[in-house]
Each structure stands twice: as structure tokens, then as C-alpha cells.
Amino acid sequence: MRIASIVGARPQFVKLAPIHRELCKRHEHLIVHTGQHYDYEMSQVFFEELAIPDPDHDLGIGSGTHGEQTGRMLMAIEKVLIEESPDAVLVYGDTNSTLAAALAAAKLHVPVAHVEAGLRSFNRRMPEEVNRVLTDHVSNLLFCPSEVARANLEAEGVTAGVHVVGDAMVQGLLELMPRLDPGLLGGFGVGSGEYVLATVHRQENADDRERMAAIVQAMTGCGETVLLPLHPRTRKNLSAWGMLHALEDADNVALLPPLSFMAFTTLERFAKAILTDSGGVQKEAYTYLVPCVTMRDETEWVETLDEGWNVLVGADRKRIIEALASPPVGSTDGRTYGGLKVCERMVRELELL
Ligand code: UD1
């Protein structure tokens, strides 16, 4: 078969890697990069470290408003799909690249397979929630990471083509885990279990001045060593609001540029706790059995809450500090999202299309 994967943003490259390895065994796999993420450390370094070949098509769309970015992707992806006529298109997660790719393919009657289908935060103000719901409803194959995801789809009347296969990103992490070297921590001046790894980039936080003020106060006032690789969107806003210097001046915070995948995931693996508003990072923390404190009011990854490895604290200074002082430690083995056969199951379903 000739399968096209359409990706564009950091977390999608991480999911693409194990799927690419599996697909390549028996099929032709085209990679299309929308260019949503374009900085070296947001994109190319992931391809290099995860041994993903260069994209067959790089659409170079870049940033923009949601409508502009998604619309330009839609036009460019349609052209590629007409030119390449793949047997199926794989889309990943919930970014604007996901929605544009799913829509372009569905309109051309090319079967769409959605990796990470059925996740819901039930908050339609999140751009990702809109992307997920719409993508699921035009997909022919829906690869769910868990039973909860399957039930979410069923509640919306989506039952055809739904398969609980587990999570591709988790498979990739499990394969990588033995290779993660704590020796890398020295370069950041920390030891294993001695620091909190923090990320914040989600629109509901990064674009909201009040929420970011509380988050900055929590990070600088928590008494922990905080490593903070900053997403360009967050850096730009903090700088415009005059808040960056509070982080730069704080003795306990190390402000870092966006990190390569290997550096970041090694820091995750050996952290005392992770403070984040990212979906993927919550799941990564759970897979490594590292306590996670999530600066959101709801999460799609409800299993991480149910099993006690994750806690929601919103953008509330006091709750963030309290949660970091006694991070949530669950009692499960972090294996809910499937093991090492996730991608094999997906490819088998694709072959039945
Ligand atoms: C996107 C996804 C989000 C995902 C995240 C992973 C959507 C709606 N959001 O958010 O779900 O968790 O990727 O990182 O698709 N920028 C750069 N360099 C880059 C890319 C972006 O400087 O390489 C800056 C630009 O100023 C841009 C801003 O970051 O305007 C936001 O980028 P965008 O791709 O729109 O969304 P993300 O916040 O990265």
C-alpha cells in the first residue's frame, strides 16, 4: 500500500517515528510536513534524533491565525494528495495540521486514519478539541489509545472503524527508555530526582496574562529547582508583558530554549515531578512513572488522574505550589496505553481497508 502521513508539529513527529518503522516493513510510506513548526529545535532535530527520513513534501506553511494557517494547509495538502494519490492518509493528534489533513483527504475520498482518536477534554474553547472532534467525524479508521476514548466516540455516534490499539507515542517511549542516559543531567547542573521539569505553551495559559502571572509566581516561589524549556509562543508573550525577567532573575529557575527530543525526554524520565499544560507530556510522565502536576482545568488523559499519577491544578499559584510540595504518586504500573505492539495493530487494520 501507499500510505501518506501528514504531520507538522512537535508531538506528531514523536508519534510518527514508531509508525514509520512499522509501515516501512511492508509498505510505501510518504511523509508530508505542513511546516506548522519550522524552527530547527521545534522540527528538524526531532527528525534527526528519531531517525525519521526527510519529508517527501515540505509545505512550509508556518504560523498564522487559526483560519489562515489551517486554510493554507488545506490548499497545499490537497495538491499533494492529488499528485501522490495515496491509498490512505494517516493524521496524528489534534493540531491544526491534523484537521487540515483530515479534511483535505476526506473531500478527495481518500480514507483517513486518525492516530489518537476519541480523546476529549469537553472544552470547545480549546482549538485542539475542535480539531479532534472534527477529525474523528471524517475519519474512516479511528485508532483509540484507551477504552475511555472508544466510549467517547460511541457517545457521539461514531462506532464504525473504531479500534482500541493503544498509544503509538507510548510504544516509542518504551522502546527508547533503555537508551536514556542520566549522564546528560550533568549538562543541566542537576541530578536524578532533584528537579521539576516544567513546560507551558497551551493557548489558554500562554495567551492569558493573568494566568501566566500566577504560573510565573508559582514557579519562582515553589522552592524547587525548576528547569523550564520555553516554547517560542510563551517566550514572546512573557517578554511583551515584561514577565520574562522574573524568571530570568529567579535563582531556582533555569530558563532554557526548546530542547531536542532526546534531551527533553531524558529530563522527563529523571525528574522529581513534571509541571506542564501539554497533553503529550502528561502521558510521557505517566509512562515513566514520574508524578505530573497539570496546569489545566481538565485533561483528555483521564487514566493518568484515575491511577493517581497526575493532578489538575489550573493556573492557581497556591495549588501549583502545594502539588509540587507533595507530588501525586500512583500505585499502578503506567501500562494502560498499550505496549510494544501498538503500531503493528494499526498497520494490520490499515491493510484491511
Ligand atoms: C501547536 C498545537 C498544540 C500542540 C503544540 C505542540 C494547534 C492548534 N496547536 O501549538 O496542540 O500541543 O503545537 O508544540 O495546532 N512558533 C515559532 N517557531 C515554530 C513554531 C511556532 O516561533 O517553529 C511560534 C510562532 O510565534 C507561532 C506560535 O509559536 O505563532 C504558535 O505556534 P502554532 O504552531 O500556531 O501553535 P503551538 O502553540 O505550537
Side-chain angles (χ1 to χ4, degrees):
M1 291 176 87
R2 189 172 161 79
I3 310 282
S5 276
I6 303 184
V7 291
R10 255 184 329 191
Q12 295 169 324
F13 311 142
V14 181
K15 294 159 202 165
L16 172 66
I19 292 178
H20 173 72
R21 279 197 294 277
E22 189 62 34
L23 266 175
C24 276
K25 291 180 187 166
R26 288 193 297 278
H27 302 286
E28 187 187 355
H29 188 210
L30 293 169
I31 297 175
V32 182
H33 190 325
T34 63
Q36 177 168 352
H37 286 171
Y38 44 89
D39 289 342
Y40 173 78
E41 64 272 17
M42 299 284 283
S43 175
Q44 202 183 323
V45 70
F46 284 71
F47 279 72
E48 291 168 8
E49 289 187 348
L50 292 163
I52 309 169
D54 287 343
D56 299 279
H57 295 269
D58 202 337
L59 307 179
I61 301 299
S63 304
T65 63
H66 285 277
E68 185 190 350
Q69 188 182 51
T70 313
R72 288 173 58 214
M73 286 177 191
L74 188 56
M75 289 167 67
I77 293 168
E78 184 179 62
K79 274 205 191 96
V80 170
L81 293 181
I82 290 170
E83 187 187 320
E84 297 281 5
S85 64
D87 297 310
V89 163
L90 270 172
V91 302
Y92 300 75
D94 56 17
T95 73
N96 289 343
S97 297
T98 317
L99 176 61
L103 196 50
K107 295 257 185 173
L108 291 169
H109 308 150
V110 178
V112 179
H114 186 200
V115 177
E116 237 181 48
L119 295 187
R120 295 292 181 268
S121 65
F122 302 102
N123 175 1
R124 291 277 171 109
R125 291 183 58 83
M126 283 176 70
E128 291 84 0
E129 183 75 354
V130 176
N131 292 340
R132 289 181 198 118
V133 171
L134 296 179
T135 299
D136 282 339
H137 283 256
V138 294
S139 291
N140 305 75
L141 273 180
L142 298 100
F143 294 135
C144 296
S146 69
E147 279 300 328
V148 171
R150 191 197 52 73
N152 288 338
L153 291 173
E154 195 174 0
E156 291 172 18
V158 179
T159 51
V162 176
H163 304 276
V164 178
V165 293
D167 192 280
M169 185 192 253
V170 169
Q171 174 174 338
L173 294 181
L174 293 175
E175 287 168 352
L176 200 72
M177 221 151 118
R179 289 179 23 220
L180 299 180
D181 174 14
L184 178 140
L185 302 181
F188 294 91
V190 291
S192 180
E194 289 177 3
Y195 60 92
V196 170
L197 178 66
T199 75
V200 49
H201 78 278
R202 197 165 288 284
Q203 185 174 309
E204 73 203 56
N205 286 327
D207 290 3
D208 185 317
R209 190 178 181 147
E210 256 178 56
R211 287 177 76 94
M212 282 312 299
I215 289 171
V216 168
Q217 283 171 19
M219 287 181 183
T220 55
C222 66
E224 305 284 343
T225 298
V226 177
L227 301 187
L228 176 62
L230 259 197
H231 188 291
R233 148 187 235 133
T234 318
R235 179 177 286 275
K236 206 162 56 182
N237 289 346
L238 287 175
S239 173
W241 297 328
M243 289 183 198
L244 203 55
H245 64 85
L247 292 169
E248 285 165 345
D249 295 347
D251 290 338
N252 70 314
V253 179
L255 210 51
L256 305 168
L259 299 175
S260 77
F261 175 69
M262 285 304 278
F264 184 74
T265 210
T266 304
L267 287 174
E268 286 181 311
R269 166 83 176 80
F270 297 105
K272 172 186 174 188
I274 291 177
L275 177 65
T276 191
D277 61 3
S278 155
V281 174
Q282 291 171 60
K283 193 173 47 181
E284 287 162 3
Y286 169 79
T287 304
Y288 293 146
L289 301 180
V290 172
C292 189
V293 177
T294 299
M295 298 179 287
R296 288 179 52 193
D297 301 315
E298 71 281 306
T299 180
E300 307 78 42
W301 300 103
V302 289
E303 296 84 358
T304 64
L305 295 179
D306 294 345
E307 296 182 29
W309 288 104
N310 188 8
V311 63
L312 297 176
V313 292
D316 182 320
R317 184 187 64 85
K318 195 161 160 275
R319 282 167 67 202
I320 296 171
I321 291 177
E322 280 169 8
L324 289 178
S326 55
V329 179
S331 54
T332 58
D333 65 359
R335 292 294 168 265
T336 294
Y337 298 122
L340 296 166
K341 302 264 183 214
V342 175
C343 299
E344 209 179 296
R345 289 184 205 117
M346 287 184 192
V347 172
R348 218 178 303 133
E349 294 302 337
L350 278 167
E351 286 168 350
L352 296 175
L353 264 177

